[in-house]
Amino acid sequence: MNAQEKARYEVRATIIKAMGHPTRLFMVEELSKGERCVCELTDMVGADISTVSKHLSVLKNAGIVQDDKRGSQVFYSLLVPCVLNFFSCVESVLESRAKEQAQRTK
Amino acid sequence: MNAQEKARYEVRATIIKAMGHPTRLFMVEELSKGERCVCELTDMVGADISTVSKHLSVLKNAGIVQDDKRGSQVFYSLLVPCVLNFFSCVESVLESRAKEQAQRTK
DNA sequence: TCCTCTATTGGCCAATATGCCAAATGGCCA
DNA sequence: TGGCCATTTGGCATATTGGCCAATAGAGGA
């Protein structure tokens, strides 16, 4: 891997890494149902609002969500819905693991 | 999010996180072409073999790849090919970003 | 058996990531 | 303007990751 290739993989890894956190995963799933303001997500997540805000900025910097300031509230929405495909693939991985487990128990 | 839900998202995040590193992303792409031994991947990546081995164990623990010891070598192969879909989605995100950039430059 | 080759594991340090609190920012209304 | 509300940003402590070297383990040949 030369420097150029490495940079290529780094950019891509950053986007995937943005999805690789439980809270952010939850928020993306929630945003798939429609836009939500920071306060709504904060209530659902149950963490400090500053923590939620930072998670959202990670997703925003990755280019996965966008924000829309309306009045004193900020609404976030999903920009690239294909990230939802991650969920089904993750389920496949879990199924595959379960089968492996079953095999070993036999 | 209660404790059970949180655990659910944590398991899933771990799988995605395993994909969220440039070296591991590269290796998964390489493994999509067929099995590779640790030494081959080490040559391609250009890092210490212990580093590569640890990255592979992250992917293995996530359930994304499997290993097969044959003689003195260990061959890794992709267990759940749907992770390759991540790549196309990442490209979508990058395209979406590029459009956004173009908009702003207008 | 001894040596070599491949790979994994342990140890250590530097760099990142997380999460909270506190402070700052921006909007809105009295 | 003053104050409140929603959000972001800064700062800090702690936890996790990533990478190298050294040590260890296992296979196979001399």
Side-chain angles (χ1 to χ4, degrees):
Chain A
M1 270 202 296
N2 59 39
Q4 195 187 340
E5 275 185 301
K6 201 177 165 188
R8 205 188 108 94
Y9 284 102
E10 271 167 12
V11 172
R12 282 151 181 79
T14 301
I15 295 171
I16 297 178
K17 208 178 343 178
M19 294 287 294
H21 186 283
T23 301
R24 295 195 291 264
L25 213 47
F26 170 84
M27 295 196 300
V28 165
E29 195 173 50
E30 187 58 32
L31 292 177
S32 73
K33 303 172 194 163
E35 63 170 23
R36 297 284 185 271
C37 70
V38 179
C39 54
E40 286 175 305
L41 292 169
T42 300
D43 285 348
M44 286 185 270
V45 167
D48 193 276
I49 188 173
S50 70
T51 301
V52 172
S53 177
K54 278 177 187 172
H55 279 307
L56 286 166
S57 80
V58 170
L59 288 171
K60 185 182 155 192
N61 289 329
I64 296 169
V65 304
Q66 66 185 161
D67 62 345
D68 182 20
K69 298 164 212 253
R70 293 207 295 275
S72 63
Q73 289 183 310
V74 180
F75 291 87
Y76 280 83
S77 58
L78 206 53
L79 198 55
V80 188
C82 68
V83 293
L84 297 171
N85 299 339
F86 286 26
F87 288 91
S88 59
C89 181
V90 166
E91 297 309 314
S92 299
V93 174
L94 292 171
E95 276 175 45
S96 154
R97 273 191 194 174
K99 279 181 196 162
E100 175 73 6
Q101 277 278 312
Q103 283 287 328
R104 217 172 301 164
T105 318
K106 263 182 192 165
Chain B
M1 271 205 292
N2 59 41
Q4 196 187 340
E5 275 185 302
K6 200 178 165 187
R8 205 187 108 95
Y9 284 102
E10 270 166 13
V11 173
R12 282 153 182 77
T14 301
I15 295 171
I16 297 179
K17 209 180 340 179
M19 295 287 294
H21 187 282
T23 300
R24 295 195 290 266
L25 214 47
F26 169 84
M27 296 195 300
V28 165
E29 194 173 52
E30 187 58 32
L31 292 177
S32 73
K33 302 172 195 165
E35 63 170 23
R36 298 282 187 273
C37 70
V38 179
C39 54
E40 286 175 306
L41 292 170
T42 300
D43 285 348
M44 285 185 270
V45 167
D48 193 276
I49 188 173
S50 68
T51 302
V52 171
S53 176
K54 279 178 187 173
H55 279 308
L56 286 166
S57 79
V58 170
L59 288 171
K60 185 183 157 192
N61 288 330
I64 295 169
V65 304
Q66 66 186 158
D67 61 345
D68 182 20
K69 297 164 213 254
R70 294 207 293 276
S72 63
Q73 289 181 311
V74 180
F75 291 87
Y76 280 84
S77 58
L78 207 52
L79 198 56
V80 189
C82 68
V83 293
L84 297 171
N85 298 340
F86 286 27
F87 288 93
S88 58
C89 182
V90 165
E91 296 308 314
S92 300
V93 173
L94 291 172
E95 275 174 45
S96 155
R97 272 191 194 174
K99 278 181 196 163
E100 175 74 5
Q101 277 277 314
Q103 283 288 329
R104 216 172 301 163
T105 317
K106 261 181 193 168

